[in-house]
């Protein structure tokens, strides 16, 4: 009977009750994904907020940029992305950094979103997000296949050169 008491209070307005019920049904599916997204949000040890979609995007870029590299090289690529998220010169989200124009050329490949990514790249992405790392410091914000003049203190892991922007050196 306690569940019936709220119903009679809504009964005097029968035209509003079905509308409210329909609205609730319409709103509930919208609210549930938001709740799912909110519950899927995590924070790295460095304070970067991320979602399950960010893990997927990080795994995808690791695969495309460093898929043939050692685990250490793959982790370093992921760390560069997180370092950029923390740096004021880049977007403050993982996906913002990955999809920033002219930064990661694989994102422009038509197969980028459809090519399957092996689960080991998700594992590496998650490990880096959870705080595991191989880079010496948070200011390493670049990597490339060749040593570049704009990189300060360059070092090599596998076939990639890593470093930070010379203007940030000091």
């Amino acid at each position: 009977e306690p569940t019936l008491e709220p119903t009679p209070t809504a009964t005097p307005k029968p035209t509003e009750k079905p509308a409210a019920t329909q609205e609730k049904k319409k709103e509930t599916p919208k609210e549930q994904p938001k709740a799912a997204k909110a519950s899927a949000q995590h924070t790295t040890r460095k304070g970067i907020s991320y979602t399950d979609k960010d893990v997927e995007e990080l795994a995808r870029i690791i695969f495309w940029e460093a898929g043939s590299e050692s685990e250490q090289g793959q982790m370093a690529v992921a760390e560069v992305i997180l370092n950029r998220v923390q740096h004021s010169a880049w977007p403050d989200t993982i996906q913002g950094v990955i999809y920033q124009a002219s930064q990661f050329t694989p994102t422009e490949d038509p197969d980028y979103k459809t090519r399957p990514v092996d689960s080991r790249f998700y594992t590496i992405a998650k490990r880096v997000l959870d705080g595991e790392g191989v880079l010496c410091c948070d200011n390493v914000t670049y990597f490339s296949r060749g040593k570049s003049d704009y990189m300060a203190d360059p070092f090599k892991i596998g076939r990639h050169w890593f470093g930070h922007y010379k203007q940030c050196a000091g």
Side-chain angles (χ1 to χ4, degrees):
E1 287 188 18
T3 56
L4 296 178
E5 288 178 15
T7 307
T9 59
T11 306
K13 299 177 184 179
T15 56
E16 290 179 18
K17 185 180 173 186
T21 305
Q22 288 174 357
E23 285 176 21
K24 285 182 183 177
K25 285 182 182 176
K26 288 179 184 176
E27 289 175 13
T28 302
K30 289 179 185 175
E31 289 174 11
Q32 286 175 350
K34 286 180 186 175
K37 286 180 185 175
S39 67
Q41 281 196 338
H42 312 280
T43 305
T44 67
R45 289 185 185 152
K46 295 179 180 183
I48 299 170
S49 225
Y50 70 93
T51 63
D52 294 341
K53 181 67 176 167
D54 292 318
V55 176
E56 177 184 336
E57 294 293 344
L58 191 56
R60 185 170 305 285
I61 199 67
I62 294 167
F63 167 73
W64 279 82
E65 287 284 3
S68 64
E69 294 293 322
S70 68
E71 187 174 287
Q72 183 182 21
Q74 293 167 0
M75 292 177 76
V77 165
E79 281 184 84
V80 164
I81 291 163
L82 296 186
N83 289 347
R84 285 185 178 195
V85 170
Q86 290 186 299
H87 196 284
S88 62
W90 284 278
D92 61 358
T93 65
I94 292 168
Q95 291 181 59
V97 166
I98 291 170
Y99 289 102
Q100 185 178 19
S102 304
Q103 293 300 305
F104 297 100
T105 55
T107 61
E108 299 166 12
D109 188 301
D111 295 329
Y112 182 74
K113 286 289 212 172
T114 58
R115 191 167 171 195
V117 176
D118 190 274
S119 64
R120 66 189 167 109
F121 297 103
Y122 286 84
T123 301
I124 289 171
K126 189 69 172 112
R127 284 171 51 199
V128 172
L129 287 164
D130 286 344
E132 195 173 332
V134 297
L135 295 180
C136 60
C137 49
D138 292 343
N139 70 346
V140 177
T141 52
Y142 287 96
F143 68 89
S144 71
R145 291 282 179 172
K147 196 172 180 182
S148 176
D149 291 337
Y150 64 81
M151 266 192 234
D153 304 321
F155 59 94
K156 199 170 184 185
I157 299 175
R159 292 180 296 219
H160 283 118
W161 284 92
F162 293 83
H164 58 272
Y165 192 58
K166 281 186 177 178
Q167 291 180 348
C168 297

